[in-house]
């Protein structure tokens, strides 16, 4: 055989082998994909038929409407709690798992080494141990209800055809739910809503120790021009000292990302029956949190017979992990929450080294990795640390025995404003503004949750205290009689938008814990007061109100300075001048003027505080000037309005020079992404809502994320809307008229992307189309039955 024929023969053979290898690899890929798809599909819950469960004491009907909204009908609250746990586990177990692990500092055990940073922040509180102890101290009825919910969760998990898809991707198995995990879910809320107080007080302590009292008063104000409290009046603004502190206005050679302004908060307001077009009291509530898939909340209607023989029907949102209706309406009352931002935390300067206190060595388990160790020193006040400000310990209401409890369970069965407000003070939740309307037309507000009962109240508690000057808090929360409340005010409206609600003399116990400076509340109040009577449509319009009173104030400062600079035709400054001159005053998606002003405002902050924030952040996680002073706009605006020349930052001639140079930097930042005439706000503020797995595995984002759409809104307008932060729900309800109540969620009921209910609801949430609060006509019915039917 010739060499050519041999070569051709070998070449043909190699091609044949290669084809077989490619075909084999393709077959393996198709087979693996089919198996994965089958496993993911089998993790969808069964929604039809009969399931017999040994842990269930009486029959329950679990129905789902066309949107997947669950309606649970049971003979008693215990059975309803079992079924709620069953539904939560079937649709949302991975979400529940993340919440309990986050609070306990056990995320790395599931997610790997990338989660160790968060575990190291949360584990020192030893919250799993506290939750386990608290379960044993719950009243017998609450403990029994919790155990039934827990049994339902584990039954729901066990009856899935396959483990939830996230566990296959992570190569882990879901661990059973325990009664203590529900309390850890509450701790997760505490951390999400109050963890920022540690970084806030750390930064305030540094500023206070490096500034005079007058300088501190200006740089850390307790009020702003936009404050509209429910009680009392804000104080007059502090005077501007002649000179700034030494650390002020140091020009930074670099720009660092501005700390996030995404406050865990919410808007909520009430309209009494006499101010309502229908004659019925109304509640509007949109809670602002990080947005992801699946959504935080799980829409549910619960029907069961109460202990007094009467029927309770509750419709609203539940939180997977808890046997409670968080917010909703029950025919008698409608209720909702906003974060109150009350000071519940103290840094305590220790008389001895942190390492001298008793040591606990915690093991941090790491998925597919080696375990890590964390040394926790426990002082009488709480975990102790060595910091750049000295040896200090953290004292926090959330870690007090009893601060997490189930005393909020009666809220969903309350039948009047008075009943609900009377029960609220010692709810085992992070301190919230509780807003309640009832079917008699009444409205009311109070604080709900544990408040520390300090021996000495006041602003000094917002700075680190020496141990000898820090009397022990009472072991119990502040007495209920000292909690503020407001029922049926003369003007017939109540509002809460994370602003400081109480400036009344003698109420220093409710001191500021980082409240919003007030523009949202200011605009909401203006809208409510501007109409003699309000409708559901008016409430919805306020939820989507983009009037930007804060940015209007900044525009009014910039405009004369920019005009006086006589920008050249066609220059970026001239384009900016044109954009803000034509600006409508709203954070609308099609606005270029808002983009320019928002970027300039951020650049102003950067120029003053970027280097300062970098240094503080190196000392304590996320410590920054923005954390210390959520009213920084008020402080800087007053300096610029008064032309305080001695306060002009280093390297600038005067405030106009500083303002315009920062504008130039802001325009360069915008132009790095878009030409100025194409930089509409909606492009900068595009929706980015996705499943946590999509962040780790970007190639799955197509199936695990909502559409990336331009949106109006921002943080300081009623329509709070940022790419991955905003209204986690929008509720409008009149108690007794639930048929016309509406609820919008940014995603669907299911946590499985193969379900048609995974993204269901997103379009309505995005476009503001009302959807029913109450579960609709049943399309799927699952009967949950005891193992042996009760005779």
């Amino acid at each position: 055989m010739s060499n050519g024929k041999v070569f051709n023969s070998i070449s043909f053979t190699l091609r044949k082998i290669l084809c077989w290898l490619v075909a084999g690899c393709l077959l393996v890929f198709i087979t693996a994909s089919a198996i994965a798809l089958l496993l993911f599909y089998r993790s969808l819950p069964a929604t039809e038929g009969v399931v017999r469960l040994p842990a269930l004491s009486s029959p329950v009907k679990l129905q789902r409407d066309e949107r997947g909204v669950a309606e649970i009908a049971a003979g008693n609250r215990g059975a309803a709690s079992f079924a709620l746990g069953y539904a939560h586990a079937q649709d949302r177990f991975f979400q529940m798992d993340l919440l309990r692990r986050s609070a306990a500092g056990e995320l790395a055990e599931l997610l790997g080494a990338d989660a160790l940073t968060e575990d190291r922040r949360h584990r020192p509180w030893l919250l799993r141990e506290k939750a386990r102890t608290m379960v044993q101290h719950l009243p017998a009825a609450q403990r029994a209800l919790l155990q039934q919910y827990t049994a339902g969760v584990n039954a729901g998990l066990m009856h899935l055809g396959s483990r939830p898809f996230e566990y296959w991707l992570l190569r882990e198995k879901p661990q059973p739910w325990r009664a203590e995990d529900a309390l850890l879910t509450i701790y997760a809320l505490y951390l999400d809503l109050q963890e920022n107080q540690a970084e806030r007080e750390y930064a305030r302590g540094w500023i206070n120790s490096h500034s005079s009292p007058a300088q501190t008063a200006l740089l850390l104000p307790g009020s702003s021009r936009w404050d509209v409290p429910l009680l009392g009046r804000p104080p007059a603004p502090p005077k501007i000292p002649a000179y700034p502190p030494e650390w002020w206005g140091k020009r930074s050679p670099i720009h660092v990302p501005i700390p996030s302004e995404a406050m865990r908060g919410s808007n909520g307001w009430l309209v009494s029956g006499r101010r309502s077009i229908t004659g019925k009291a109304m509640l509007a509530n949109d809670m602002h949190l990080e947005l992801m898939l699946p959504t935080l909340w799980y829409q549910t209607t619960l029907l069961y017979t109460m202990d007094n023989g009467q029927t309770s029907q509750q419709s609203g949102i539940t939180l997977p992990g808890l046997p409670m209706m968080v917010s909703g309406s029950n025919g008698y009352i409608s209720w909702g929450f906003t974060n109150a931002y009350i000071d519940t935390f103290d840094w305590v300067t220790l008389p001895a080294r942190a390492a001298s206190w008793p040591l606990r060595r915690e093991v941090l388990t790491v998925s597919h990795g080696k375990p890590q160790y964390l040394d926790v020193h426990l002082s009488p006040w709480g975990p102790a640390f060595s910091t750049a400000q000295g040896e200090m310990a953290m004292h926090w209401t959330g870690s007090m025995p009893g601060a997490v409890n189930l005393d909020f369970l009666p809220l969903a069965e309350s039948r009047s404003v008075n009943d609900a407000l009377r029960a609220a003070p010692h709810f085992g939740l992070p301190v919230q503004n509780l807003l309640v309307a009832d079917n008699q037309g009444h409205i009311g507000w109070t604080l709900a949750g544990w408040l520390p009962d300090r021996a000495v109240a006041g602003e000094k508690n917002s700075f680190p205290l020496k141990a000898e000057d820090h009397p022990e808090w009472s072991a119990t929360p502040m007495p209920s009689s000292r909690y503020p409340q407001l029922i049926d005010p003369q003007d017939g409206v109540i509002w809460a938008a994370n602003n400081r609600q109480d400036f009344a003399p003698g109420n220093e116990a409710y001191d500021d814990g980082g409240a919003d400076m007030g523009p949202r509340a200011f605009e909401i109040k203006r809208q409510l007061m501007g109409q003699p009577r309000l409708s559901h449509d008016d409430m919805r319009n306020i939820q989507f109100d983009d009037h930007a009173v804060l940015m209007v104030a900044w525009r009014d400062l910039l405009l004369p300075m920019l005009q006086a600079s006589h920008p050249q035709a066609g220059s970026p400054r001239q384009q900016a001048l044109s954009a803000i001159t034509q600006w409508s005053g709203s954070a609308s998606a099609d606005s270029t003027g808002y983009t320019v002003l928002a970027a300039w405002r951020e650049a102003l902050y950067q120029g003053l505080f970027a280097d300062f924030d970098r240094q503080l952040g190196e000392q304590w996680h996320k410590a920054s000037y923005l954390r210390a002073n959520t009213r920084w706009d008020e402080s800087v605006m007053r300096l610029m309005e008064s032309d305080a020349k001695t306060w002009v930052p280093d390297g600038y001639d005067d405030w106009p020079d500083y303002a315009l140079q920062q504008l130039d930097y802001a325009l360069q930042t915008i132009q790095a992404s878009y030409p100025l005439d194409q930089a509409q706000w909606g492009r900068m503020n595009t929706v980015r809502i996705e499943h946590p797995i999509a962040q780790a595995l970007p190639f799955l984002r197509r199936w695990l994320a909502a559409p990336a759409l331009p949106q109006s809104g921002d943080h300081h307008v009623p329509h709070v809307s940022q790419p991955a932060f905003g209204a986690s729900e929008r509720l409008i309800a009149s108690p007794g008229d639930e048929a016309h109540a509406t609820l919008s969620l940014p995603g669907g009921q299911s946590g499985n992307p193969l379900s048609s209910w995974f993204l269901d609801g997103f379009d309505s949430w995005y476009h503001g189309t009302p959807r029913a609060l109450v579960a609709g006509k049943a399309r799927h019915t699952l009967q949950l039955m005891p193992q042996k039917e009760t005779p």
Side-chain angles (χ1 to χ4, degrees), residues 378-395:
L378 299 175
S379 77
W381 298 273
F385 302 89
S386 294
T387 78
Q389 293 191 58
E391 307 295 305
M392 298 201 295
M394 298 194 290
H395 196 187

mmCIF file with all atom_site columns, all heavy atoms in Angstrom, residues 378-395:
data_model
loop_
_atom_site.group_PDB
_atom_site.id
_atom_site.type_symbol
_atom_site.label_atom_id
_atom_site.label_alt_id
_atom_site.label_comp_id
_atom_site.label_asym_id
_atom_site.label_entity_id
_atom_site.label_seq_id
_atom_site.pdbx_PDB_ins_code
_atom_site.Cartn_x
_atom_site.Cartn_y
_atom_site.Cartn_z
_atom_site.occupancy
_atom_site.B_iso_or_equiv
_atom_site.pdbx_formal_charge
_atom_site.auth_seq_id
_atom_site.auth_comp_id
_atom_site.auth_asym_id
_atom_site.auth_atom_id
_atom_site.pdbx_PDB_model_num
ATOM 1   N N   . LEU A 1 378 ? -16.925 37.262 74.722 1.00 0.00 ? 378 LEU A N   1
ATOM 2   C CA  . LEU A 1 378 ? -18.250 37.640 75.211 1.00 0.00 ? 378 LEU A CA  1
ATOM 3   C C   . LEU A 1 378 ? -18.136 38.468 76.487 1.00 0.00 ? 378 LEU A C   1
ATOM 4   O O   . LEU A 1 378 ? -17.783 37.959 77.554 1.00 0.00 ? 378 LEU A O   1
ATOM 5   C CB  . LEU A 1 378 ? -19.091 36.386 75.468 1.00 0.00 ? 378 LEU A CB  1
ATOM 6   C CG  . LEU A 1 378 ? -19.338 35.515 74.221 1.00 0.00 ? 378 LEU A CG  1
ATOM 7   C CD1 . LEU A 1 378 ? -20.061 34.235 74.591 1.00 0.00 ? 378 LEU A CD1 1
ATOM 8   C CD2 . LEU A 1 378 ? -20.140 36.295 73.193 1.00 0.00 ? 378 LEU A CD2 1
ATOM 9   N N   . SER A 1 379 ? -18.434 39.751 76.366 1.00 0.00 ? 379 SER A N   1
ATOM 10  C CA  . SER A 1 379 ? -18.449 40.647 77.515 1.00 0.00 ? 379 SER A CA  1
ATOM 11  C C   . SER A 1 379 ? -19.859 40.668 78.110 1.00 0.00 ? 379 SER A C   1
ATOM 12  O O   . SER A 1 379 ? -20.796 40.131 77.512 1.00 0.00 ? 379 SER A O   1
ATOM 13  C CB  . SER A 1 379 ? -18.053 42.053 77.079 1.00 0.00 ? 379 SER A CB  1
ATOM 14  O OG  . SER A 1 379 ? -19.142 42.686 76.420 1.00 0.00 ? 379 SER A OG  1
ATOM 15  N N   . PRO A 1 380 ? -20.053 41.315 79.270 1.00 0.00 ? 380 PRO A N   1
ATOM 16  C CA  . PRO A 1 380 ? -21.415 41.416 79.829 1.00 0.00 ? 380 PRO A CA  1
ATOM 17  C C   . PRO A 1 380 ? -22.375 42.170 78.918 1.00 0.00 ? 380 PRO A C   1
ATOM 18  O O   . PRO A 1 380 ? -23.598 42.036 79.060 1.00 0.00 ? 380 PRO A O   1
ATOM 19  C CB  . PRO A 1 380 ? -21.194 42.169 81.140 1.00 0.00 ? 380 PRO A CB  1
ATOM 20  C CG  . PRO A 1 380 ? -19.759 41.924 81.493 1.00 0.00 ? 380 PRO A CG  1
ATOM 21  C CD  . PRO A 1 380 ? -19.040 41.852 80.188 1.00 0.00 ? 380 PRO A CD  1
ATOM 22  N N   . TRP A 1 381 ? -21.860 42.977 77.987 1.00 0.00 ? 381 TRP A N   1
ATOM 23  C CA  . TRP A 1 381 ? -22.728 43.753 77.115 1.00 0.00 ? 381 TRP A CA  1
ATOM 24  C C   . TRP A 1 381 ? -23.011 43.048 75.793 1.00 0.00 ? 381 TRP A C   1
ATOM 25  O O   . TRP A 1 381 ? -24.023 43.296 75.159 1.00 0.00 ? 381 TRP A O   1
ATOM 26  C CB  . TRP A 1 381 ? -22.086 45.124 76.837 1.00 0.00 ? 381 TRP A CB  1
ATOM 27  C CG  . TRP A 1 381 ? -21.910 45.930 78.071 1.00 0.00 ? 381 TRP A CG  1
ATOM 28  C CD1 . TRP A 1 381 ? -22.823 46.766 78.655 1.00 0.00 ? 381 TRP A CD1 1
ATOM 29  C CD2 . TRP A 1 381 ? -20.755 45.948 78.913 1.00 0.00 ? 381 TRP A CD2 1
ATOM 30  N NE1 . TRP A 1 381 ? -22.303 47.307 79.802 1.00 0.00 ? 381 TRP A NE1 1
ATOM 31  C CE2 . TRP A 1 381 ? -21.034 46.822 79.989 1.00 0.00 ? 381 TRP A CE2 1
ATOM 32  C CE3 . TRP A 1 381 ? -19.504 45.319 78.876 1.00 0.00 ? 381 TRP A CE3 1
ATOM 33  C CZ2 . TRP A 1 381 ? -20.115 47.081 80.997 1.00 0.00 ? 381 TRP A CZ2 1
ATOM 34  C CZ3 . TRP A 1 381 ? -18.587 45.568 79.877 1.00 0.00 ? 381 TRP A CZ3 1
ATOM 35  C CH2 . TRP A 1 381 ? -18.902 46.449 80.928 1.00 0.00 ? 381 TRP A CH2 1
ATOM 36  N N   . GLY A 1 382 ? -22.088 42.188 75.374 1.00 0.00 ? 382 GLY A N   1
ATOM 37  C CA  . GLY A 1 382 ? -22.224 41.510 74.098 1.00 0.00 ? 382 GLY A CA  1
ATOM 38  C C   . GLY A 1 382 ? -20.858 41.198 73.519 1.00 0.00 ? 382 GLY A C   1
ATOM 39  O O   . GLY A 1 382 ? -19.833 41.314 74.207 1.00 0.00 ? 382 GLY A O   1
ATOM 40  N N   . PRO A 1 383 ? -20.786 40.798 72.244 1.00 0.00 ? 383 PRO A N   1
ATOM 41  C CA  . PRO A 1 383 ? -19.501 40.462 71.625 1.00 0.00 ? 383 PRO A CA  1
ATOM 42  C C   . PRO A 1 383 ? -18.519 41.626 71.717 1.00 0.00 ? 383 PRO A C   1
ATOM 43  O O   . PRO A 1 383 ? -18.888 42.777 71.491 1.00 0.00 ? 383 PRO A O   1
ATOM 44  C CB  . PRO A 1 383 ? -19.874 40.173 70.169 1.00 0.00 ? 383 PRO A CB  1
ATOM 45  C CG  . PRO A 1 383 ? -21.336 39.889 70.182 1.00 0.00 ? 383 PRO A CG  1
ATOM 46  C CD  . PRO A 1 383 ? -21.917 40.669 71.307 1.00 0.00 ? 383 PRO A CD  1
ATOM 47  N N   . ALA A 1 384 ? -17.266 41.330 72.040 1.00 0.00 ? 384 ALA A N   1
ATOM 48  C CA  . ALA A 1 384 ? -16.236 42.353 72.243 1.00 0.00 ? 384 ALA A CA  1
ATOM 49  C C   . ALA A 1 384 ? -15.217 42.303 71.105 1.00 0.00 ? 384 ALA A C   1
ATOM 50  O O   . ALA A 1 384 ? -14.871 41.224 70.605 1.00 0.00 ? 384 ALA A O   1
ATOM 51  C CB  . ALA A 1 384 ? -15.538 42.148 73.583 1.00 0.00 ? 384 ALA A CB  1
ATOM 52  N N   . PHE A 1 385 ? -14.733 43.503 70.725 1.00 0.00 ? 385 PHE A N   1
ATOM 53  C CA  . PHE A 1 385 ? -13.822 43.616 69.594 1.00 0.00 ? 385 PHE A CA  1
ATOM 54  C C   . PHE A 1 385 ? -12.736 44.645 69.898 1.00 0.00 ? 385 PHE A C   1
ATOM 55  O O   . PHE A 1 385 ? -12.965 45.615 70.620 1.00 0.00 ? 385 PHE A O   1
ATOM 56  C CB  . PHE A 1 385 ? -14.560 44.067 68.326 1.00 0.00 ? 385 PHE A CB  1
ATOM 57  C CG  . PHE A 1 385 ? -15.680 43.155 67.917 1.00 0.00 ? 385 PHE A CG  1
ATOM 58  C CD1 . PHE A 1 385 ? -16.963 43.343 68.410 1.00 0.00 ? 385 PHE A CD1 1
ATOM 59  C CD2 . PHE A 1 385 ? -15.455 42.104 67.036 1.00 0.00 ? 385 PHE A CD2 1
ATOM 60  C CE1 . PHE A 1 385 ? -18.000 42.510 68.042 1.00 0.00 ? 385 PHE A CE1 1
ATOM 61  C CE2 . PHE A 1 385 ? -16.479 41.265 66.659 1.00 0.00 ? 385 PHE A CE2 1
ATOM 62  C CZ  . PHE A 1 385 ? -17.756 41.453 67.156 1.00 0.00 ? 385 PHE A CZ  1
ATOM 63  N N   . SER A 1 386 ? -11.580 44.447 69.286 1.00 0.00 ? 386 SER A N   1
ATOM 64  C CA  . SER A 1 386 ? -10.528 45.466 69.285 1.00 0.00 ? 386 SER A CA  1
ATOM 65  C C   . SER A 1 386 ? -10.703 46.296 68.023 1.00 0.00 ? 386 SER A C   1
ATOM 66  O O   . SER A 1 386 ? -10.667 45.756 66.913 1.00 0.00 ? 386 SER A O   1
ATOM 67  C CB  . SER A 1 386 ? -9.144  44.815 69.308 1.00 0.00 ? 386 SER A CB  1
ATOM 68  O OG  . SER A 1 386 ? -8.939  44.134 70.518 1.00 0.00 ? 386 SER A OG  1
ATOM 69  N N   . THR A 1 387 ? -10.894 47.603 68.170 1.00 0.00 ? 387 THR A N   1
ATOM 70  C CA  . THR A 1 387 ? -11.131 48.479 67.026 1.00 0.00 ? 387 THR A CA  1
ATOM 71  C C   . THR A 1 387 ? -10.158 49.653 67.069 1.00 0.00 ? 387 THR A C   1
ATOM 72  O O   . THR A 1 387 ? -9.458  49.871 68.063 1.00 0.00 ? 387 THR A O   1
ATOM 73  C CB  . THR A 1 387 ? -12.565 49.035 67.027 1.00 0.00 ? 387 THR A CB  1
ATOM 74  O OG1 . THR A 1 387 ? -12.665 50.105 67.969 1.00 0.00 ? 387 THR A OG1 1
ATOM 75  C CG2 . THR A 1 387 ? -13.582 47.962 67.367 1.00 0.00 ? 387 THR A CG2 1
ATOM 76  N N   . ALA A 1 388 ? -10.158 50.432 65.995 1.00 0.00 ? 388 ALA A N   1
ATOM 77  C CA  . ALA A 1 388 ? -9.303  51.619 65.950 1.00 0.00 ? 388 ALA A CA  1
ATOM 78  C C   . ALA A 1 388 ? -9.741  52.666 66.966 1.00 0.00 ? 388 ALA A C   1
ATOM 79  O O   . ALA A 1 388 ? -8.965  53.568 67.299 1.00 0.00 ? 388 ALA A O   1
ATOM 80  C CB  . ALA A 1 388 ? -9.320  52.207 64.549 1.00 0.00 ? 388 ALA A CB  1
ATOM 81  N N   . GLN A 1 389 ? -10.971 52.559 67.460 1.00 0.00 ? 389 GLN A N   1
ATOM 82  C CA  . GLN A 1 389 ? -11.451 53.479 68.500 1.00 0.00 ? 389 GLN A CA  1
ATOM 83  C C   . GLN A 1 389 ? -11.275 52.901 69.896 1.00 0.00 ? 389 GLN A C   1
ATOM 84  O O   . GLN A 1 389 ? -11.740 53.510 70.865 1.00 0.00 ? 389 GLN A O   1
ATOM 85  C CB  . GLN A 1 389 ? -12.919 53.829 68.256 1.00 0.00 ? 389 GLN A CB  1
ATOM 86  C CG  . GLN A 1 389 ? -13.167 54.658 67.008 1.00 0.00 ? 389 GLN A CG  1
ATOM 87  C CD  . GLN A 1 389 ? -14.586 55.191 66.946 1.00 0.00 ? 389 GLN A CD  1
ATOM 88  O OE1 . GLN A 1 389 ? -15.035 55.903 67.841 1.00 0.00 ? 389 GLN A OE1 1
ATOM 89  N NE2 . GLN A 1 389 ? -15.296 54.859 65.878 1.00 0.00 ? 389 GLN A NE2 1
ATOM 90  N N   . GLY A 1 390 ? -10.661 51.738 69.999 1.00 0.00 ? 390 GLY A N   1
ATOM 91  C CA  . GLY A 1 390 ? -10.434 51.146 71.307 1.00 0.00 ? 390 GLY A CA  1
ATOM 92  C C   . GLY A 1 390 ? -11.120 49.799 71.444 1.00 0.00 ? 390 GLY A C   1
ATOM 93  O O   . GLY A 1 390 ? -11.675 49.233 70.491 1.00 0.00 ? 390 GLY A O   1
ATOM 94  N N   . GLU A 1 391 ? -11.067 49.292 72.655 1.00 0.00 ? 391 GLU A N   1
ATOM 95  C CA  . GLU A 1 391 ? -11.693 48.007 72.973 1.00 0.00 ? 391 GLU A CA  1
ATOM 96  C C   . GLU A 1 391 ? -13.181 48.257 73.229 1.00 0.00 ? 391 GLU A C   1
ATOM 97  O O   . GLU A 1 391 ? -13.550 49.014 74.138 1.00 0.00 ? 391 GLU A O   1
ATOM 98  C CB  . GLU A 1 391 ? -11.045 47.394 74.210 1.00 0.00 ? 391 GLU A CB  1
ATOM 99  C CG  . GLU A 1 391 ? -9.525  47.281 74.114 1.00 0.00 ? 391 GLU A CG  1
ATOM 100 C CD  . GLU A 1 391 ? -9.086  46.315 73.032 1.00 0.00 ? 391 GLU A CD  1
ATOM 101 O OE1 . GLU A 1 391 ? -9.526  45.159 73.062 1.00 0.00 ? 391 GLU A OE1 1
ATOM 102 O OE2 . GLU A 1 391 ? -8.291  46.719 72.151 1.00 0.00 ? 391 GLU A OE2 1
ATOM 103 N N   . MET A 1 392 ? -14.038 47.635 72.412 1.00 0.00 ? 392 MET A N   1
ATOM 104 C CA  . MET A 1 392 ? -15.471 47.941 72.511 1.00 0.00 ? 392 MET A CA  1
ATOM 105 C C   . MET A 1 392 ? -16.302 46.673 72.383 1.00 0.00 ? 392 MET A C   1
ATOM 106 O O   . MET A 1 392 ? -15.877 45.665 71.815 1.00 0.00 ? 392 MET A O   1
ATOM 107 C CB  . MET A 1 392 ? -15.885 48.943 71.430 1.00 0.00 ? 392 MET A CB  1
ATOM 108 C CG  . MET A 1 392 ? -15.189 50.296 71.533 1.00 0.00 ? 392 MET A CG  1
ATOM 109 S SD  . MET A 1 392 ? -16.091 51.629 70.679 1.00 0.00 ? 392 MET A SD  1
ATOM 110 C CE  . MET A 1 392 ? -16.002 51.101 68.981 1.00 0.00 ? 392 MET A CE  1
ATOM 111 N N   . ALA A 1 393 ? -17.529 46.762 72.914 1.00 0.00 ? 393 ALA A N   1
ATOM 112 C CA  . ALA A 1 393 ? -18.491 45.668 72.817 1.00 0.00 ? 393 ALA A CA  1
ATOM 113 C C   . ALA A 1 393 ? -19.787 46.192 72.217 1.00 0.00 ? 393 ALA A C   1
ATOM 114 O O   . ALA A 1 393 ? -20.111 47.380 72.327 1.00 0.00 ? 393 ALA A O   1
ATOM 115 C CB  . ALA A 1 393 ? -18.757 45.065 74.196 1.00 0.00 ? 393 ALA A CB  1
ATOM 116 N N   . MET A 1 394 ? -20.529 45.295 71.588 1.00 0.00 ? 394 MET A N   1
ATOM 117 C CA  . MET A 1 394 ? -21.804 45.648 70.970 1.00 0.00 ? 394 MET A CA  1
ATOM 118 C C   . MET A 1 394 ? -22.957 45.214 71.879 1.00 0.00 ? 394 MET A C   1
ATOM 119 O O   . MET A 1 394 ? -23.045 44.054 72.275 1.00 0.00 ? 394 MET A O   1
ATOM 120 C CB  . MET A 1 394 ? -21.947 44.977 69.599 1.00 0.00 ? 394 MET A CB  1
ATOM 121 C CG  . MET A 1 394 ? -20.893 45.418 68.604 1.00 0.00 ? 394 MET A CG  1
ATOM 122 S SD  . MET A 1 394 ? -21.274 44.959 66.884 1.00 0.00 ? 394 MET A SD  1
ATOM 123 C CE  . MET A 1 394 ? -21.063 43.192 66.953 1.00 0.00 ? 394 MET A CE  1
ATOM 124 N N   . HIS A 1 395 ? -23.808 46.178 72.198 1.00 0.00 ? 395 HIS A N   1
ATOM 125 C CA  . HIS A 1 395 ? -24.988 45.918 73.018 1.00 0.00 ? 395 HIS A CA  1
ATOM 126 C C   . HIS A 1 395 ? -26.216 46.198 72.153 1.00 0.00 ? 395 HIS A C   1
ATOM 127 O O   . HIS A 1 395 ? -26.413 47.339 71.719 1.00 0.00 ? 395 HIS A O   1
ATOM 128 C CB  . HIS A 1 395 ? -24.981 46.816 74.251 1.00 0.00 ? 395 HIS A CB  1
ATOM 129 C CG  . HIS A 1 395 ? -25.926 46.365 75.329 1.00 0.00 ? 395 HIS A CG  1
ATOM 130 N ND1 . HIS A 1 395 ? -26.168 47.107 76.463 1.00 0.00 ? 395 HIS A ND1 1
ATOM 131 C CD2 . HIS A 1 395 ? -26.683 45.252 75.448 1.00 0.00 ? 395 HIS A CD2 1
ATOM 132 C CE1 . HIS A 1 395 ? -27.024 46.468 77.229 1.00 0.00 ? 395 HIS A CE1 1
ATOM 133 N NE2 . HIS A 1 395 ? -27.354 45.341 76.630 1.00 0.00 ? 395 HIS A NE2 1
#
